Amino acid sequence: YRMWAQSTLNNSFTTSEAERTHMKNNLYVDNNYTLNTNIMGYVFKTQQPGTVPLYRMWAQQIQNTRLTISEVERAHMKNNLYVDNNYTLNTKIIGYDFKTRQPGTVPLYRMWAQQTQNSILTTSNGALNHMRNNLFVDNHMLTNFVQGYLLPNK
């Protein structure tokens, strides 16, 4: 789920229905952006062949949630404002997605808006183009702006 908190200008992301409910009771709303749903796709709860951990990170100073599949990028973030973000989950890993494109999967794009210090994710090419025309840029940081490949939300 992609969630939005207007008061902090933060997009957050969860794979847990219970955590989504908690977020909705604490500042967040579902973030449909240009999609008709806030479900962007599906990850695995446990590691499967070809999948990698999808880490959720939090930077209190800039009120930003960021996801990464890169251990190198995660280490860099931990040295630059970010900490592992467990929120209400007991893990920093919110799921496992494919590192490389597999048949029937969709890319998980990470975008960045410098003006609002905000990361956002999408699997929609339409939303990706809309973001590129509205403050957001491809967010490479230390790795590609594609943060793995998800099973699509059909």
Side-chain angles (χ1 to χ4, degrees), residues 2-4 29-39 127:
R2 181 171 61 198
M3 309 297 290
W4 170 248
V29 296
D30 288 328
N31 182 354
N32 301 340
Y33 199 59
T34 62
L35 303 174
N36 292 326
T37 178
N38 65 321
I39 299 173

Side-chain angles (χ1 to χ4, degrees), residues 45-80:
K45 286 185 178 185
T46 59
Q47 191 153 21
Q48 304 295 313
T51 65
V52 292
L54 184 59
Y55 295 102
R56 183 173 58 188
M57 309 295 290
W58 170 249
Q60 178 69 33
Q61 185 176 349
I62 61 173
Q63 298 284 296
N64 181 248
T65 303
R66 187 174 291 183
L67 301 185
T68 186
I69 60 172
S70 167
E71 292 287 347
V72 171
E73 185 175 61
R74 178 173 169 250
H76 176 76
M77 284 192 241
K78 289 178 88 169
N79 289 327
N80 293 278

